[in-house]
Amino acid sequence: MSNFSSSATAPSDHGSGGLGPDVGLSFLTKAVLFAGLATTAMGQTVLFAVLGPLARLIGLTEVETGAIVAVSAASFVLAAPAWGRRSDRLGRRGVFLLSVVGFSISTYLFAGLLEAGQRGLIMGVTAFLTLTAASVLYGTLHSGGPAAAGGYI
């Protein structure tokens, strides 16, 4: 049976202050990670649940709405490995916090653009392109949280 707790056989975690993988996380650290991941997951769920009706309201087609969601998902998948490498080099805490703050800002931006569309300030191609750009930012920044949290654990 191999010894998984040996720091000699497992890579060190450069992002947790030099503590090796055999050092357990405190309850508070686990609670903060869980809260951050759960909050962003709930926010994503709510955003995509209301996106369809709001997109129809501002004149976007089902294909355009689907493209906005697909671009967000693709940017999440493509950015996650880079965030994981960055958290290995620079530390998990900073990447996790940047991701949660970036997720919050990009969610507010996305909601603001939907509101602008409802008020008639942006329409058609402009609404589609700005919402798509915001969804790329959203997916890219959001992917850092799970990558850093996975590295923590």
Side-chain angles (χ1 to χ4, degrees), residues 7-133:
S7 60
T9 60
S12 67
D13 180 3
H14 301 291
S16 63
L19 301 176
D22 55 329
V23 176
L25 296 175
S26 71
F27 175 78
L28 181 61
T29 301
K30 290 178 184 176
V32 168
L33 287 172
F34 176 77
L37 292 173
T39 302
T40 57
M42 286 186 282
Q44 182 177 4
T45 301
V46 168
L47 180 66
F48 288 138
V50 301
L51 178 59
L54 290 176
R56 276 192 299 278
L57 194 63
I58 65 174
L60 296 179
T61 67
E62 289 84 5
V63 172
E64 291 169 326
T65 305
I68 291 169
V69 173
V71 166
S72 177
S75 63
F76 183 99
V77 168
L78 294 173
W83 281 117
R85 287 188 297 275
R86 177 159 288 176
S87 76
D88 286 343
R89 281 194 324 270
L90 302 176
R92 315 246 187 258
R93 182 180 301 139
V95 170
F96 186 78
L97 291 174
L98 177 64
S99 174
V100 171
V101 169
F103 170 82
S104 300
I105 291 169
S106 62
T107 300
Y108 281 115
L109 173 65
F110 199 85
L113 290 170
L114 285 171
E115 179 68 24
Q118 287 180 332
R119 294 176 186 239
L121 301 174
I122 59 172
M123 294 182 278
V125 174
T126 304
F128 173 69
L129 292 176
T130 56
L131 286 167
T132 301

